Amino acid sequence: MLITLEGIEGSGKTTQIDYIAAYLQKSGLDYAITKEPGGTVLGEKIRSILLDPVNINIHPMTELLLYAADRVQHIKELISPMIESGKIVICDRFHDSTTVYQGFTRGIDISLIQQLNSLVLEGLAPDITFVLDLDPEIGLKRAWKQISDGSRSESETRFENEKLQFHESVRNGYLELARKEPDRFVVVDASNDPAKVWDQISAHLGKCLEKQK
Ligand code: TMP
């Protein structure tokens, strides 16, 4: 089973992944947590290129292919073997990030992104995707606070440096994807405090786990 979390910068994915992990642990289920970009040793190197604010001149197509390269390695080396061994895999961002950031927001042709996604995923698809929906002004404030207090790295701020309009497009992109695939996506209001966000997620997660039994 594959669970993915998506959302704008500062939407609180990491905190919710901690809640999910605690819940699965308590339920005695075997799980693994991973992320994109950077789920593998090779991916960490790709991540540092992609998120370094110094790299302001990365071409959108280069950016797209680096995310795709990270994902191929991640799926082959980690995600597919873990799923095959029966683990529940929780992934912080996955292919929907590519559709939304490189497609809707950077403006690369969506049909090209879809072709690339299907080439990379080879039929793999998340069973459930939580979109943590939030006003980008609030998300960015949270993200920059984490950067200034040191809980997020300053060397990974290339996207945080984008204009508010960029983040609004990302938010709208996720909402559009969720409207198109209501059976897979669950949009949660991430402006609430973390425990309330978790209440929304746990209700859906419980149902999804029941279905998989
Ligand atoms: P994060 O690990 O803090 O969420 O940062 C990852 C950044 O990379 C985030 O700004 C979204 C961006 N991203 C893409 O643009 N495309 C992708 O395919 C993925 C996985 C992430």
Side-chain angles (χ1 to χ4, degrees):
M1 181 177 179
L2 177 60
I3 302 169
T4 58
L5 281 92
E6 299 280 355
I8 59 160
E9 274 52 46
S11 57
K13 290 180 283 96
T14 314
T15 308
Q16 294 307 317
I17 286 174
D18 290 345
Y19 276 106
I20 296 176
Y23 174 86
L24 295 176
Q25 175 95 39
K26 223 170 118 190
S27 313
L29 295 164
D30 195 9
Y31 69 92
I33 297 168
T34 187
K35 67 173 180 192
E36 287 195 357
T40 61
V41 172
L42 188 88
E44 276 172 19
K45 293 182 182 167
I46 299 175
R47 179 182 174 96
S48 71
I49 298 170
L50 279 164
L51 303 191
D52 190 338
V54 164
N55 295 329
I56 41 171
N57 66 345
I58 296 185
H59 190 279
M61 192 58 79
T62 311
E63 186 179 272
L64 170 69
L65 295 173
L66 285 171
Y67 279 110
D70 169 73
R71 187 161 304 124
V72 170
Q73 190 66 28
H74 194 201
I75 291 173
K76 299 276 183 204
E77 188 180 320
L78 223 69
I79 297 185
S80 290
M82 288 194 300
I83 291 176
E84 274 156 30
S85 76
K87 277 192 203 308
I88 297 172
V89 177
I90 308 150
C91 192
D92 184 343
R93 297 192 183 281
F94 200 51
H95 72 300
D96 297 311
S97 280
T98 304
T99 310
V100 167
Y101 281 80
Q102 282 65 54
F104 294 141
T105 304
R106 294 274 192 232
I108 297 178
D109 182 36
I110 293 295
S111 66
L112 176 75
I113 304 254
Q114 284 167 344
Q115 279 178 48
L116 187 63
N117 276 344
S118 67
L119 188 78
V120 168
L121 267 57
E122 292 181 329
L124 177 67
D127 295 282
I128 188 163
T129 299
F130 294 101
V131 172
L132 274 60
D133 180 53
L134 183 67
D135 178 342
E137 268 191 71
I138 302 174
L140 282 176
K141 265 193 205 140
R142 282 187 192 168
W144 281 107
K145 191 171 171 287
Q146 289 162 353
I147 292 156
S148 64
D149 72 20
S151 53
R152 278 171 71 98
S153 169
E154 187 133 32
S155 65
E156 293 194 341
T157 50
R158 193 167 68 89
F159 284 87
E160 283 77 359
N161 283 323
E162 293 284 354
K163 293 198 172 72
L164 188 60
Q165 210 185 354
F166 177 96
H167 299 281
E168 276 162 358
S169 162
V170 170
R171 180 193 197 183
N172 293 332
Y174 279 126
L175 295 178
E176 192 176 328
L177 282 187
R179 271 193 298 271
K180 283 192 184 143
E181 255 190 275
D183 290 344
R184 172 164 70 91
F185 282 96
V186 177
V187 178
V188 299
D189 178 357
S191 66
N192 283 319
D193 68 71
K196 286 212 176 106
V197 179
W198 167 239
D199 285 344
Q200 299 171 64
I201 291 181
S202 62
H204 290 275
L205 185 61
K207 274 190 238 154
C208 185
L209 291 168
E210 266 313 303
K211 261 201 255 164
Q212 300 280 322
K213 274 187 186 165

